[in-house]
Amino acid sequence: MAFDFATPVARRHPSGGRPPDGPSDWPSDWPSQKWHRYGDEVLPMWVADMDFVSPPAVLEALHARVDHGVFGYGLVPDSLRETLCAWSERHYGWRIEPDWQLWLPGVVPALHLASLALTEPGDGVLTVTPIYPPFLRVAERTGRTPQQAAMAEPAAPGEPWRLDLAALEAAITPRTRLLLWCHPHNPTGRVWTRDELAGLAELVARHDLFVVSDELHCDLLLDQGARHVPLAAAFPELASRTLTLWAPSKTFNLAGLTTACAVVPDPALRRRFAAVAKGLTPDGNVLGLVAAEAAYAEGEPWRQALLEVLRGHRRSLSERVARWPGVAMSAPESTYLAWLDLRGAPSLKGEASPRQALLQCAGVALSDGADFGTPGFARLNFGTTAIQLEAALGRLDAVLCG
């Protein structure tokens, strides 16, 4: 089946009007964080939100549910639980059970719920930097102590970021109780090696830590033949202390439907987490649950086609970065996100925020590395059409090649 990843979809309508090439019945506006935050003249390459139409199977399932016309409080259907079990066994080689699943309105709420459920006020919540910005706010928002350890930067341009186990252990104190882990890693795109994960597992067990493993990008491994292995599956000894977070949101472009799943094998841990979630999270999003089941049941052909597109975009971006003096990038092994080191760019010398300078001078919005705990970097979202990617790269050329 052919899928269209080439035709731009109008997501921002200048002056509230219809796009010139859009259908006659196109609505005047659908507000989008990505496309409306910075105004009509800026090309948004920041938030992790792709510009592709979601899989046809998902759209068909949503149309059928909308046609029913009643949107009362829903339940997580057994068929969805079984579908996720089948997906996990087929794609990760991990046999999970339906009752291990706790469906939630997103991964970010799950991070906060885990902190409340598994730690006490003042306990340490640890993560590595750079990291997806909400990780850095969990401890403060839940009355815990934030703790951070820096990853090892690439030894040379183009080489990968590495997990620095010595730095991670040095950041642990007697009050540390929870590690917020990202696997694969956002923003660097790293797929952790077995040795890195083995070192992490030993450290976690020795210091008696709980782990929340955010595996949101695990279905977007870009290297041919790569296969994701969940942390709790790779190291069964960690299963009793690990919450694994999955969602169809990034893979199938369903972020606005706010549906995710915590997979918790240990019954006691599951009860603790579920008890805290009561009253703090709403019941399941009835449309999000429908979309999730359709994505996991029928979305594989679309996912495979998407991966081919993203591989091509990664290649184009790598070639472009090589032409930008002083700019470095370790090609992401997963995700549709690129982590750019802009500290050496001559055209940005003296700029306090390279991301802000590119926004003003190039009209391209990136995510600021400072928000990830690493100033001088920026994250670029290449999950868009080739036309839109080329337009943004052309604008960046004008500044970074100068």
Side-chain angles (χ1 to χ4, degrees), residues 324-352:
W324 295 340
V327 179
M329 179 189 79
S330 300
E333 300 163 320
S334 66
T335 82
Y336 45 84
L337 306 167
W339 189 235
L340 304 179
D341 183 352
L342 300 168
R343 294 172 298 180
S347 57
L348 300 177
K349 187 175 181 180
E351 296 286 351

PDB file of all heavy atoms in Angstrom, residues 324-352:
ATOM      1  N   TRP A 324      27.839  23.054   7.272  1.00  0.00           N
ATOM      2  CA  TRP A 324      27.702  24.204   8.171  1.00  0.00           C
ATOM      3  C   TRP A 324      28.937  24.299   9.055  1.00  0.00           C
ATOM      4  O   TRP A 324      29.130  23.459   9.951  1.00  0.00           O
ATOM      5  CB  TRP A 324      26.458  24.069   9.029  1.00  0.00           C
ATOM      6  CG  TRP A 324      25.159  24.116   8.265  1.00  0.00           C
ATOM      7  CD1 TRP A 324      24.952  24.627   7.026  1.00  0.00           C
ATOM      8  CD2 TRP A 324      23.887  23.611   8.712  1.00  0.00           C
ATOM      9  NE1 TRP A 324      23.622  24.495   6.662  1.00  0.00           N
ATOM     10  CE2 TRP A 324      22.949  23.878   7.678  1.00  0.00           C
ATOM     11  CE3 TRP A 324      23.435  22.990   9.860  1.00  0.00           C
ATOM     12  CZ2 TRP A 324      21.605  23.535   7.778  1.00  0.00           C
ATOM     13  CZ3 TRP A 324      22.106  22.640   9.977  1.00  0.00           C
ATOM     14  CH2 TRP A 324      21.199  22.911   8.938  1.00  0.00           C
ATOM     15  N   PRO A 325      29.792  25.282   8.852  1.00  0.00           N
ATOM     16  CA  PRO A 325      31.018  25.396   9.657  1.00  0.00           C
ATOM     17  C   PRO A 325      30.702  25.461  11.152  1.00  0.00           C
ATOM     18  O   PRO A 325      29.815  26.198  11.590  1.00  0.00           O
ATOM     19  CB  PRO A 325      31.637  26.710   9.169  1.00  0.00           C
ATOM     20  CG  PRO A 325      31.071  26.907   7.800  1.00  0.00           C
ATOM     21  CD  PRO A 325      29.683  26.356   7.854  1.00  0.00           C
ATOM     22  N   GLY A 326      31.445  24.664  11.921  1.00  0.00           N
ATOM     23  CA  GLY A 326      31.326  24.727  13.373  1.00  0.00           C
ATOM     24  C   GLY A 326      30.101  24.068  13.958  1.00  0.00           C
ATOM     25  O   GLY A 326      29.910  24.125  15.179  1.00  0.00           O
ATOM     26  N   VAL A 327      29.265  23.444  13.139  1.00  0.00           N
ATOM     27  CA  VAL A 327      28.062  22.774  13.624  1.00  0.00           C
ATOM     28  C   VAL A 327      28.302  21.267  13.575  1.00  0.00           C
ATOM     29  O   VAL A 327      28.834  20.748  12.593  1.00  0.00           O
ATOM     30  CB  VAL A 327      26.819  23.132  12.791  1.00  0.00           C
ATOM     31  CG1 VAL A 327      25.588  22.404  13.314  1.00  0.00           C
ATOM     32  CG2 VAL A 327      26.601  24.646  12.811  1.00  0.00           C
ATOM     33  N   ALA A 328      27.917  20.574  14.631  1.00  0.00           N
ATOM     34  CA  ALA A 328      28.120  19.128  14.703  1.00  0.00           C
ATOM     35  C   ALA A 328      26.811  18.436  15.057  1.00  0.00           C
ATOM     36  O   ALA A 328      25.963  19.003  15.750  1.00  0.00           O
ATOM     37  CB  ALA A 328      29.192  18.785  15.738  1.00  0.00           C
ATOM     38  N   MET A 329      26.677  17.210  14.580  1.00  0.00           N
ATOM     39  CA  MET A 329      25.506  16.398  14.880  1.00  0.00           C
ATOM     40  C   MET A 329      25.899  14.926  14.880  1.00  0.00           C
ATOM     41  O   MET A 329      26.558  14.461  13.945  1.00  0.00           O
ATOM     42  CB  MET A 329      24.393  16.628  13.846  1.00  0.00           C
ATOM     43  CG  MET A 329      23.140  15.792  14.083  1.00  0.00           C
ATOM     44  SD  MET A 329      21.949  15.899  12.706  1.00  0.00           S
ATOM     45  CE  MET A 329      22.694  14.778  11.515  1.00  0.00           C
ATOM     46  N   SER A 330      25.506  14.216  15.911  1.00  0.00           N
ATOM     47  CA  SER A 330      25.615  12.756  15.904  1.00  0.00           C
ATOM     48  C   SER A 330      24.334  12.235  15.276  1.00  0.00           C
ATOM     49  O   SER A 330      23.243  12.467  15.812  1.00  0.00           O
ATOM     50  CB  SER A 330      25.770  12.224  17.331  1.00  0.00           C
ATOM     51  OG  SER A 330      26.921  12.755  17.953  1.00  0.00           O
ATOM     52  N   ALA A 331      24.437  11.558  14.148  1.00  0.00           N
ATOM     53  CA  ALA A 331      23.234  11.114  13.443  1.00  0.00           C
ATOM     54  C   ALA A 331      22.357  10.295  14.381  1.00  0.00           C
ATOM     55  O   ALA A 331      22.827   9.316  14.971  1.00  0.00           O
ATOM     56  CB  ALA A 331      23.621  10.281  12.228  1.00  0.00           C
ATOM     57  N   PRO A 332      21.108  10.679  14.548  1.00  0.00           N
ATOM     58  CA  PRO A 332      20.245   9.950  15.477  1.00  0.00           C
ATOM     59  C   PRO A 332      20.005   8.521  15.029  1.00  0.00           C
ATOM     60  O   PRO A 332      19.796   8.254  13.851  1.00  0.00           O
ATOM     61  CB  PRO A 332      18.949  10.768  15.470  1.00  0.00           C
ATOM     62  CG  PRO A 332      18.967  11.516  14.174  1.00  0.00           C
ATOM     63  CD  PRO A 332      20.402  11.787  13.881  1.00  0.00           C
ATOM     64  N   GLU A 333      20.058   7.607  15.984  1.00  0.00           N
ATOM     65  CA  GLU A 333      19.789   6.200  15.714  1.00  0.00           C
ATOM     66  C   GLU A 333      18.309   5.876  15.828  1.00  0.00           C
ATOM     67  O   GLU A 333      17.865   4.803  15.439  1.00  0.00           O
ATOM     68  CB  GLU A 333      20.586   5.333  16.687  1.00  0.00           C
ATOM     69  CG  GLU A 333      22.088   5.540  16.585  1.00  0.00           C
ATOM     70  CD  GLU A 333      22.837   5.005  17.786  1.00  0.00           C
ATOM     71  OE1 GLU A 333      22.350   5.159  18.928  1.00  0.00           O
ATOM     72  OE2 GLU A 333      23.916   4.436  17.580  1.00  0.00           O
ATOM     73  N   SER A 334      17.570   6.816  16.377  1.00  0.00           N
ATOM     74  CA  SER A 334      16.126   6.660  16.538  1.00  0.00           C
ATOM     75  C   SER A 334      15.494   8.045  16.577  1.00  0.00           C
ATOM     76  O   SER A 334      16.197   9.057  16.641  1.00  0.00           O
ATOM     77  CB  SER A 334      15.803   5.911  17.837  1.00  0.00           C
ATOM     78  OG  SER A 334      16.188   6.691  18.961  1.00  0.00           O
ATOM     79  N   THR A 335      14.191   8.071  16.509  1.00  0.00           N
ATOM     80  CA  THR A 335      13.372   9.290  16.545  1.00  0.00           C
ATOM     81  C   THR A 335      13.458  10.050  15.229  1.00  0.00           C
ATOM     82  O   THR A 335      14.195   9.684  14.312  1.00  0.00           O
ATOM     83  CB  THR A 335      13.734  10.248  17.706  1.00  0.00           C
ATOM     84  OG1 THR A 335      14.863  11.048  17.357  1.00  0.00           O
ATOM     85  CG2 THR A 335      14.018   9.501  18.990  1.00  0.00           C
ATOM     86  N   TYR A 336      12.721  11.141  15.148  1.00  0.00           N
ATOM     87  CA  TYR A 336      12.821  12.060  14.019  1.00  0.00           C
ATOM     88  C   TYR A 336      13.360  13.401  14.512  1.00  0.00           C
ATOM     89  O   TYR A 336      13.007  14.462  14.014  1.00  0.00           O
ATOM     90  CB  TYR A 336      11.450  12.249  13.348  1.00  0.00           C
ATOM     91  CG  TYR A 336      10.298  12.458  14.303  1.00  0.00           C
ATOM     92  CD1 TYR A 336      10.007  13.711  14.819  1.00  0.00           C
ATOM     93  CD2 TYR A 336       9.499  11.390  14.691  1.00  0.00           C
ATOM     94  CE1 TYR A 336       8.952  13.909  15.693  1.00  0.00           C
ATOM     95  CE2 TYR A 336       8.434  11.579  15.560  1.00  0.00           C
ATOM     96  CZ  TYR A 336       8.162  12.833  16.063  1.00  0.00           C
ATOM     97  OH  TYR A 336       7.120  13.017  16.937  1.00  0.00           O
ATOM     98  N   LEU A 337      14.249  13.312  15.514  1.00  0.00           N
ATOM     99  CA  LEU A 337      14.788  14.494  16.169  1.00  0.00           C
ATOM    100  C   LEU A 337      16.306  14.497  16.059  1.00  0.00           C
ATOM    101  O   LEU A 337      16.954  13.467  16.309  1.00  0.00           O
ATOM    102  CB  LEU A 337      14.373  14.514  17.645  1.00  0.00           C
ATOM    103  CG  LEU A 337      12.856  14.398  17.897  1.00  0.00           C
ATOM    104  CD1 LEU A 337      12.579  14.120  19.364  1.00  0.00           C
ATOM    105  CD2 LEU A 337      12.152  15.669  17.431  1.00  0.00           C
ATOM    106  N   ALA A 338      16.870  15.624  15.690  1.00  0.00           N
ATOM    107  CA  ALA A 338      18.319  15.762  15.545  1.00  0.00           C
ATOM    108  C   ALA A 338      18.831  16.747  16.589  1.00  0.00           C
ATOM    109  O   ALA A 338      18.222  17.805  16.812  1.00  0.00           O
ATOM    110  CB  ALA A 338      18.663  16.258  14.146  1.00  0.00           C
ATOM    111  N   TRP A 339      19.953  16.405  17.199  1.00  0.00           N
ATOM    112  CA  TRP A 339      20.525  17.211  18.273  1.00  0.00           C
ATOM    113  C   TRP A 339      21.766  17.924  17.735  1.00  0.00           C
ATOM    114  O   TRP A 339      22.794  17.304  17.465  1.00  0.00           O
ATOM    115  CB  TRP A 339      20.881  16.296  19.450  1.00  0.00           C
ATOM    116  CG  TRP A 339      21.282  16.948  20.730  1.00  0.00           C
ATOM    117  CD1 TRP A 339      22.442  16.719  21.426  1.00  0.00           C
ATOM    118  CD2 TRP A 339      20.538  17.891  21.505  1.00  0.00           C
ATOM    119  NE1 TRP A 339      22.463  17.464  22.584  1.00  0.00           N
ATOM    120  CE2 TRP A 339      21.304  18.196  22.659  1.00  0.00           C
ATOM    121  CE3 TRP A 339      19.303  18.520  21.340  1.00  0.00           C
ATOM    122  CZ2 TRP A 339      20.872  19.091  23.633  1.00  0.00           C
ATOM    123  CZ3 TRP A 339      18.869  19.407  22.306  1.00  0.00           C
ATOM    124  CH2 TRP A 339      19.634  19.690  23.437  1.00  0.00           C
ATOM    125  N   LEU A 340      21.631  19.229  17.533  1.00  0.00           N
ATOM    126  CA  LEU A 340      22.667  20.025  16.876  1.00  0.00           C
ATOM    127  C   LEU A 340      23.534  20.754  17.898  1.00  0.00           C
ATOM    128  O   LEU A 340      23.015  21.459  18.780  1.00  0.00           O
ATOM    129  CB  LEU A 340      22.023  21.060  15.948  1.00  0.00           C
ATOM    130  CG  LEU A 340      21.072  20.542  14.873  1.00  0.00           C
ATOM    131  CD1 LEU A 340      20.512  21.710  14.076  1.00  0.00           C
ATOM    132  CD2 LEU A 340      21.770  19.543  13.951  1.00  0.00           C
ATOM    133  N   ASP A 341      24.842  20.599  17.765  1.00  0.00           N
ATOM    134  CA  ASP A 341      25.793  21.351  18.580  1.00  0.00           C
ATOM    135  C   ASP A 341      26.156  22.610  17.806  1.00  0.00           C
ATOM    136  O   ASP A 341      26.858  22.563  16.794  1.00  0.00           O
ATOM    137  CB  ASP A 341      27.030  20.491  18.836  1.00  0.00           C
ATOM    138  CG  ASP A 341      28.037  21.181  19.752  1.00  0.00           C
ATOM    139  OD1 ASP A 341      27.851  22.372  20.068  1.00  0.00           O
ATOM    140  OD2 ASP A 341      29.031  20.522  20.130  1.00  0.00           O
ATOM    141  N   LEU A 342      25.670  23.746  18.297  1.00  0.00           N
ATOM    142  CA  LEU A 342      25.861  25.019  17.604  1.00  0.00           C
ATOM    143  C   LEU A 342      26.913  25.896  18.275  1.00  0.00           C
ATOM    144  O   LEU A 342      27.108  27.051  17.876  1.00  0.00           O
ATOM    145  CB  LEU A 342      24.529  25.785  17.564  1.00  0.00           C
ATOM    146  CG  LEU A 342      23.385  25.063  16.841  1.00  0.00           C
ATOM    147  CD1 LEU A 342      22.053  25.750  17.115  1.00  0.00           C
ATOM    148  CD2 LEU A 342      23.648  24.997  15.347  1.00  0.00           C
ATOM    149  N   ARG A 343      27.612  25.358  19.253  1.00  0.00           N
ATOM    150  CA  ARG A 343      28.539  26.185  20.036  1.00  0.00           C
ATOM    151  C   ARG A 343      29.712  26.691  19.217  1.00  0.00           C
ATOM    152  O   ARG A 343      30.287  27.743  19.542  1.00  0.00           O
ATOM    153  CB  ARG A 343      29.052  25.380  21.239  1.00  0.00           C
ATOM    154  CG  ARG A 343      27.970  25.043  22.268  1.00  0.00           C
ATOM    155  CD  ARG A 343      28.474  24.084  23.332  1.00  0.00           C
ATOM    156  NE  ARG A 343      28.871  22.795  22.742  1.00  0.00           N
ATOM    157  CZ  ARG A 343      29.353  21.777  23.480  1.00  0.00           C
ATOM    158  NH1 ARG A 343      29.486  21.904  24.782  1.00  0.00           N
ATOM    159  NH2 ARG A 343      29.692  20.646  22.871  1.00  0.00           N
ATOM    160  N   GLY A 344      30.075  25.954  18.155  1.00  0.00           N
ATOM    161  CA  GLY A 344      31.234  26.381  17.376  1.00  0.00           C
ATOM    162  C   GLY A 344      30.901  27.110  16.098  1.00  0.00           C
ATOM    163  O   GLY A 344      31.808  27.439  15.322  1.00  0.00           O
ATOM    164  N   ALA A 345      29.623  27.387  15.854  1.00  0.00           N
ATOM    165  CA  ALA A 345      29.236  28.037  14.604  1.00  0.00           C
ATOM    166  C   ALA A 345      29.727  29.490  14.583  1.00  0.00           C
ATOM    167  O   ALA A 345      29.314  30.294  15.419  1.00  0.00           O
ATOM    168  CB  ALA A 345      27.720  27.990  14.446  1.00  0.00           C
ATOM    169  N   PRO A 346      30.592  29.847  13.645  1.00  0.00           N
ATOM    170  CA  PRO A 346      31.110  31.228  13.617  1.00  0.00           C
ATOM    171  C   PRO A 346      30.002  32.264  13.475  1.00  0.00           C
ATOM    172  O   PRO A 346      30.086  33.354  14.052  1.00  0.00           O
ATOM    173  CB  PRO A 346      32.033  31.229  12.388  1.00  0.00           C
ATOM    174  CG  PRO A 346      32.375  29.804  12.152  1.00  0.00           C
ATOM    175  CD  PRO A 346      31.183  29.013  12.585  1.00  0.00           C
ATOM    176  N   SER A 347      28.973  31.955  12.720  1.00  0.00           N
ATOM    177  CA  SER A 347      27.905  32.925  12.490  1.00  0.00           C
ATOM    178  C   SER A 347      27.067  33.169  13.726  1.00  0.00           C
ATOM    179  O   SER A 347      26.294  34.134  13.775  1.00  0.00           O
ATOM    180  CB  SER A 347      27.004  32.445  11.352  1.00  0.00           C
ATOM    181  OG  SER A 347      26.474  31.160  11.649  1.00  0.00           O
ATOM    182  N   LEU A 348      27.213  32.308  14.736  1.00  0.00           N
ATOM    183  CA  LEU A 348      26.436  32.464  15.973  1.00  0.00           C
ATOM    184  C   LEU A 348      27.321  32.850  17.151  1.00  0.00           C
ATOM    185  O   LEU A 348      26.857  32.873  18.290  1.00  0.00           O
ATOM    186  CB  LEU A 348      25.700  31.160  16.298  1.00  0.00           C
ATOM    187  CG  LEU A 348      24.708  30.677  15.238  1.00  0.00           C
ATOM    188  CD1 LEU A 348      24.099  29.337  15.662  1.00  0.00           C
ATOM    189  CD2 LEU A 348      23.595  31.699  15.011  1.00  0.00           C
ATOM    190  N   LYS A 349      28.586  33.147  16.870  1.00  0.00           N
ATOM    191  CA  LYS A 349      29.521  33.480  17.935  1.00  0.00           C
ATOM    192  C   LYS A 349      29.025  34.695  18.717  1.00  0.00           C
ATOM    193  O   LYS A 349      28.632  35.715  18.140  1.00  0.00           O
ATOM    194  CB  LYS A 349      30.902  33.770  17.350  1.00  0.00           C
ATOM    195  CG  LYS A 349      31.982  33.956  18.413  1.00  0.00           C
ATOM    196  CD  LYS A 349      33.358  34.124  17.779  1.00  0.00           C
ATOM    197  CE  LYS A 349      34.431  34.283  18.846  1.00  0.00           C
ATOM    198  NZ  LYS A 349      35.786  34.444  18.232  1.00  0.00           N
ATOM    199  N   GLY A 350      29.043  34.574  20.022  1.00  0.00           N
ATOM    200  CA  GLY A 350      28.608  35.671  20.883  1.00  0.00           C
ATOM    201  C   GLY A 350      27.131  35.688  21.179  1.00  0.00           C
ATOM    202  O   GLY A 350      26.674  36.489  21.999  1.00  0.00           O
ATOM    203  N   GLU A 351      26.387  34.811  20.533  1.00  0.00           N
ATOM    204  CA  GLU A 351      24.944  34.753  20.784  1.00  0.00           C
ATOM    205  C   GLU A 351      24.677  33.962  22.064  1.00  0.00           C
ATOM    206  O   GLU A 351      25.151  32.833  22.226  1.00  0.00           O
ATOM    207  CB  GLU A 351      24.209  34.088  19.618  1.00  0.00           C
ATOM    208  CG  GLU A 351      24.298  34.862  18.311  1.00  0.00           C
ATOM    209  CD  GLU A 351      23.425  36.106  18.317  1.00  0.00           C
ATOM    210  OE1 GLU A 351      22.621  36.274  19.256  1.00  0.00           O
ATOM    211  OE2 GLU A 351      23.564  36.910  17.380  1.00  0.00           O
ATOM    212  N   ALA A 352      23.920  34.541  22.965  1.00  0.00           N
ATOM    213  CA  ALA A 352      23.598  33.860  24.217  1.00  0.00           C
ATOM    214  C   ALA A 352      22.745  32.631  23.966  1.00  0.00           C
ATOM    215  O   ALA A 352      22.855  31.623  24.659  1.00  0.00           O
ATOM    216  CB  ALA A 352      22.885  34.814  25.178  1.00  0.00           C
TER     217      ALA A 352
END
